[in-house]
Every structure is written in C-alpha cells, then in structure tokens.
C-alpha cells in the first residue's frame, strides 16, 4: 500500500535535516529505519539502504518501491542528486507532501457532513420502501382509482424492492467494488479528477 503523505513528509524532512547536517546518506537511512514507527515504511527504508550499499543511487533505490514512492517523488530526488541539492529537494518534498496531507484532510472534513446526510437519506428511503409504502399499496388497490404515472413508478419500485431486495444489494455491492478497483487505476483516477474539475 502507498504510504500516507504524512509519513513520507516526515521521512523526507528527517533525511533532509540529517543530510544538511553532514550525515552520510547511508547513516541517515539507518537512523531513520530505527526511528520510523510504521512497519511497512521501516522495511522499505531498510531495503533502500541495502540497495545503496550495493551501488544504487537514492533515486534508483527508491524507484524499486513504486507502491510507496510516486514518480513525482522519484523525479524530485533524481533532480536533487543531479544538481547537488539533494537536501533542498527533500525539504521541498516534505513541504509539498505536508500541504497535500492538509488539503486532503480539509476535503475529507468538508465531505463528511454531506456523506452523513446522504447515508441518512438512503436509510430513510429503504425504511419507507420496506415498511410504509407496502401498506399504502393495499389502500390504492382497494380504492380502485387511476394513479398518476409517478405514483405507479414509485409503487413498482417498492414492489421490486420487496421481492428482490437481495438482488439490489448484491448489485450495489458489486458496482461499488468495481468502481473502487477502477478508481485505483491511473485511468480511473484521471477520469474521476476530470469529472470533479468539470462539475
């Protein structure tokens, strides 16, 4: 799994400070691997340290873990190595990732209330279709009157939900899993971002 922006920001900041202080890259990584609390990131840092000991540069060693370090992260590190300003590049990454983390938290906080309202509305609709509307169907049948199209549609949906609710739930779960898998792909993230910017 990709590490959180907060974890990578802290990693970049710590290693930038140590490199600025004149600590060699291998010693910096060794110290970080002992201090990092996230187990998955600790293992990656340990492997990166071994790859550098084997002759790889930092950018090449990091590029072997694409699930943790994004292409942007690798490109900035590579630029820092080529220009001799690795500490500055890592400090820039730390600031960028911190800002990204704060932005995501703000978006999540802003979407929490609408999401809660949406869930409440869905629950209310399900309760009405399960307990309230089925009782009204009998009243409409006994009245023997011509119902408006909108009312007939609502009643048809209610009857379908009453008889085939398990199919609806299965389809919803299946579509949710498919959408989740698609959004994890590069194309899916690009498509979702495009629609968000448009609407």
């Amino acid at each position: 799994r990709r590490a959180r922006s907060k974890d990578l920001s802290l990693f970049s900041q710590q290693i930038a400070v140590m490199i600025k202080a004149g600590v060699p890259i291998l010693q910096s990584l060794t110290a970080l691997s002992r201090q990092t609390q996230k187990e998955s990131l600790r293992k990656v840092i340990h492997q990166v340290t071994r790859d550098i000991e084997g002759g790889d540069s930092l950018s090449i060693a990091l590029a072997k873990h694409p699930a943790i370090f994004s292409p942007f992260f690798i490109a900035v590190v590579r630029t820092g190595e080529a220009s001799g300003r690795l500490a500055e590049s890592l400090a820039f990454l730390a600031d960028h990732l911190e800002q990204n983390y704060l932005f995501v938290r703000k978006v999540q906080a802003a979407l929490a209330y609408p999401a809660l309202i949406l869930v409440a509305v869905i629950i209310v609709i399900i309760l009405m279709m399960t307990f309230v509307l089925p009782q009204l169907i009998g009243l409409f049948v006994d009245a023997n009157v011509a119902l408006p199209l909108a009312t007939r549609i609502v009643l048809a949906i209610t009857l379908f939900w009453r008889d085939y609710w398990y199919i609806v739930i299965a389809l919803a779960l299946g579509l949710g899993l498919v959408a989740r898998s698609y959004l994890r792909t590069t194309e899916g993230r690009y498509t979702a971002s495009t629609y968000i910017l448009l609407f």
Side-chain angles (χ1 to χ4, degrees), residues 70-188:
S70 66
F72 174 76
F73 193 102
I74 304 301
V76 173
V77 172
R78 186 177 295 114
T79 301
E81 291 174 335
S83 62
R85 300 172 61 87
L86 180 58
E88 288 80 357
S89 297
L90 289 168
F92 165 78
L93 280 172
D95 182 66
H96 170 77
L97 292 168
E98 179 69 19
Q99 294 299 322
N100 181 67
Y101 173 77
L102 294 176
F103 174 75
V104 171
R105 290 294 300 271
K106 289 180 180 179
V107 172
Q108 291 175 342
L111 293 177
Y113 182 72
L116 181 62
I117 296 298
L118 178 61
V119 171
V121 169
I122 292 175
I123 292 176
V124 170
I125 291 175
I126 291 176
L127 290 175
M128 290 186 62
M129 294 178 63
T130 304
F131 300 104
V132 179
L133 292 179
Q135 297 180 8
L136 296 179
I137 293 176
L139 295 178
F140 289 136
V141 171
D142 294 338
N144 195 23
V145 295
L147 300 175
L149 177 61
T151 304
R152 294 201 302 270
I153 292 175
V154 171
L155 294 180
I157 295 174
T158 301
L159 291 174
F160 184 83
W161 167 259
R162 185 188 65 182
D163 297 334
Y164 304 104
W165 59 269
Y166 51 90
I167 296 179
V168 176
I169 293 178
L171 287 175
L173 291 176
L175 290 174
L177 292 175
V178 171
R180 181 183 179 186
S181 300
Y182 178 69
L183 291 175
R184 287 186 171 183
T185 64
T186 303
E187 181 183 357

